Amino acid sequence: MVTRIATTDAGTIDAGQRGRWKRNGALGIAAAAVAFGGYSLLHHSAGADAAPPPPNVSVSQPLVRDVSQWDDYIGRFAPSRTVEMRPRVSGEVTGVHFKDGDIVRTGQLLFTIDQRPFAAALAEARANQASAASTLALARADLGRVNRLAGDEAVSAGEIDAIKARVQAAEAGLAAAAARVRSRSLDLEFTQVRAPISGRISDRRVDAGNLVAGGDNGSGTLLTTINALDPIYFSFDGSEALFLKAQRDRKAGAVAQPVEIQLQDETGYRWKGKLDFTDNRLDNRSGTIRGRAVIANPDYFLTPGLFGNMRLGHSGTVKALLVPDSAIQTDQARKILLVVGKDGEVSAKGVTLGPVVDGLRIIRSGIEPGDRIVISGAQVAIPGAKVTPQPGTITPDKATEAVADAGTPAAAEATFAR
């Protein structure tokens, strides 16, 4: 029994030692693996932590140029003169001598009214004038005879005075008859309705064969209208602030302020003119003042009623700092430019923007002429980080004043040409 127990204990001890050796070996292998991995990781991290070179960005100082300043307005074209064609005499329209929408010239015949009644009235007036002239001639002859007898006291003074009165009455009658002749001549002339101004005529409101009523106080029948289009006016309303700004910028004795106008489907300001009228008071309800510019329109392209964007120039020019519009970034509610210092560190400066000139944005405030602005590679330039600045160039990009395709209505249909 003793021997059996001893054998059993010996076998048990031997198995436990083998388990501990296995566990210690596994732990040793794991520790070696961890040590090797840590060594590799340490050396890999050391290589990865080597700082990369600062990124390259293109920088340039702002472009300094003399620029003209403009204020923007919205307005509408209007004819420089408008005439409603109404007859001065009544009668039947016997002829229409234009096509609807034609360009007419001053003095061009437009309508003819039946002349026969007015020609007859003129003939009657001339006959009355001849009769009055005959009466005056007889009265003057009688006066001459009595004047010769007055020295011999053959006629009384009262008879002489009566004959003189008849002469004066005859002279007045002749003058009245001559006036009636002129009046009837005007009536006959008014049967031909002619254009008082040059411009584009509207459509006819009355066809030949209709009776029209004449009048001198606007009560006559409306025949058509004519709009003078060369030059043409551009009417607009300006705010009180813009009016005050223009007044302060205007120099004594300065020439009329230039204006440039852009139509709805244009990308440039191709229509040039000048300011020729500003109203004498502001509208109390809207706080605006009415202004007007005059534009040359020799080919009659511009039509009354068209809307346009107008810019009004100030007198003289100013020095401005310009940068590419693409270099401007937005930081929440403000606009910023990235600037590279002498040590290569990037910083952000808040700026106040002006208008765009040939693709370049005017910077009113926030930067200096000597600042190095990031104009390319801004996506890798982070404020507070280092960069490698490379010299760049800022050049204007003259925009072509072409018609914008996006604003042109598309055709509704298309067919093959025959």
Side-chain angles (χ1 to χ4, degrees):
M1 291 297 293
V2 175
T3 303
R4 189 167 49 249
I5 293 173
T7 303
T8 302
D9 292 339
T12 301
I13 292 171
D14 192 56
Q17 288 178 346
R18 285 197 299 270
R20 285 193 300 271
W21 292 340
K22 290 180 180 180
R23 286 194 299 271
N24 291 337
L27 290 174
I29 294 173
V34 169
F36 179 77
Y39 176 81
S40 300
L41 183 61
L42 180 62
H43 281 266
H44 182 268
S45 299
D49 288 339
N56 295 330
V57 296
S58 180
V59 299
S60 175
Q61 294 180 348
L63 189 65
V64 181
R65 288 284 182 88
D66 290 331
V67 298
S68 299
Q69 299 187 87
W70 306 83
D71 288 325
D72 292 330
Y73 299 85
I74 297 176
R76 187 190 292 268
F77 287 96
S80 54
R81 296 176 65 191
T82 299
V83 176
E84 292 184 344
M85 302 301 302
R86 300 178 186 270
R88 302 284 294 274
V89 295
S90 301
E92 178 187 352
V93 176
T94 57
V96 180
H97 309 285
F98 68 93
K99 293 182 180 180
D100 296 346
D102 273 354
I103 300 298
V104 298
R105 303 300 176 187
T106 302
Q108 180 176 333
L109 180 62
L110 303 178
F111 295 91
T112 300
I113 299 174
D114 189 5
Q115 298 180 340
R116 292 173 296 175
F118 304 98
L122 176 60
E124 180 182 3
R126 286 174 175 169
N128 292 335
Q129 182 183 22
S131 176
S134 176
T135 301
L136 177 60
L138 178 60
R140 286 175 175 173
D142 291 342
L143 180 60
R145 282 191 293 269
V146 298
N147 283 335
R148 288 192 297 270
L149 297 174
D152 299 334
E153 296 182 354
V155 293
S156 64
E159 187 176 356
I160 294 176
D161 290 341
I163 294 176
K164 288 182 178 179
R166 286 201 302 270
V167 171
Q168 293 176 351
E171 290 175 345
L174 179 60
R180 283 192 293 272
V181 169
R182 290 193 297 270
S183 177
R184 298 299 181 264
S185 298
L186 284 176
D187 289 342
L188 183 61
E189 182 181 342
F190 291 154
T191 59
Q192 294 184 335
V193 181
R194 298 182 179 274
I197 61 173
S198 299
R200 187 180 297 279
I201 196 168
S202 182
D203 60 333
R204 64 188 183 278
R205 308 296 175 85
V206 176
D207 290 317
N210 288 283
L211 293 175
V212 294
D216 293 332
N217 57 354
S219 60
T221 304
L222 179 62
L223 301 177
T224 187
T225 58
I226 303 176
N227 287 333
L229 304 181
D230 184 26
I232 193 170
Y233 286 153
F234 185 82
S235 299
F236 61 94
D237 292 325
S239 66
E240 182 176 351
L242 287 175
F243 172 73
L244 292 174
K245 181 174 181 290
Q247 288 291 95
R248 299 185 192 283
D249 290 342
R250 185 179 302 169
K251 297 180 180 178
V255 297
Q257 294 170 282
V259 301
E260 296 182 354
I261 299 175
Q262 175 189 39
L263 300 183
Q264 179 184 4
D265 64 343
E266 295 176 343
T267 59
Y269 291 82
R270 59 169 292 197
W271 303 99
K272 317 294 183 182
K274 61 182 179 180
L275 185 69
D276 79 324
F277 166 77
T278 302
D279 209 350
N280 57 2
R281 61 170 295 172
L282 276 79
D283 190 328
N284 295 333
R285 294 170 296 179
S286 63
T288 59
I289 189 168
R290 185 167 57 95
R292 187 183 70 198
V294 59
I295 312 296
N297 187 30
D299 57 355
Y300 294 94
F301 180 84
L302 300 174
T303 301
L306 285 175
F307 276 101
N309 297 320
M310 187 196 82
R311 59 187 187 186
L312 175 64
H314 299 286
S315 56
T317 59
V318 296
K319 294 284 187 182
L321 302 180
L322 300 100
V323 301
D325 200 31
S326 58
I328 299 170
Q329 300 187 13
T330 302
D331 181 12
Q332 295 183 353
R334 66 171 186 160
K335 299 296 183 179
I336 62 171
L337 284 173
L338 299 180
V339 180
V340 179
K342 294 181 179 180
D343 57 353
E345 184 176 341
V346 179
S347 62
K349 287 190 174 183
V351 293
T352 303
L353 304 183
V356 175
V357 181
D358 293 347
L360 302 180
R361 176 73 68 172
I362 293 178
I363 305 301
R364 299 192 186 277
S365 62
I367 60 173
E368 300 296 333
D371 288 340
R372 295 191 298 174
I373 309 300
V374 177
I375 61 175
S376 179
Q379 63 274 12
V380 298
I382 302 174
K386 299 280 188 176
V387 294
T388 302
Q390 302 293 333
T393 304
I394 298 177
T395 56
D397 182 14
K398 180 65 176 177
T400 57
E401 297 183 357
V403 174
D405 293 337
T408 304
E413 294 183 25
T415 60
F416 289 109
R418 296 192 177 97

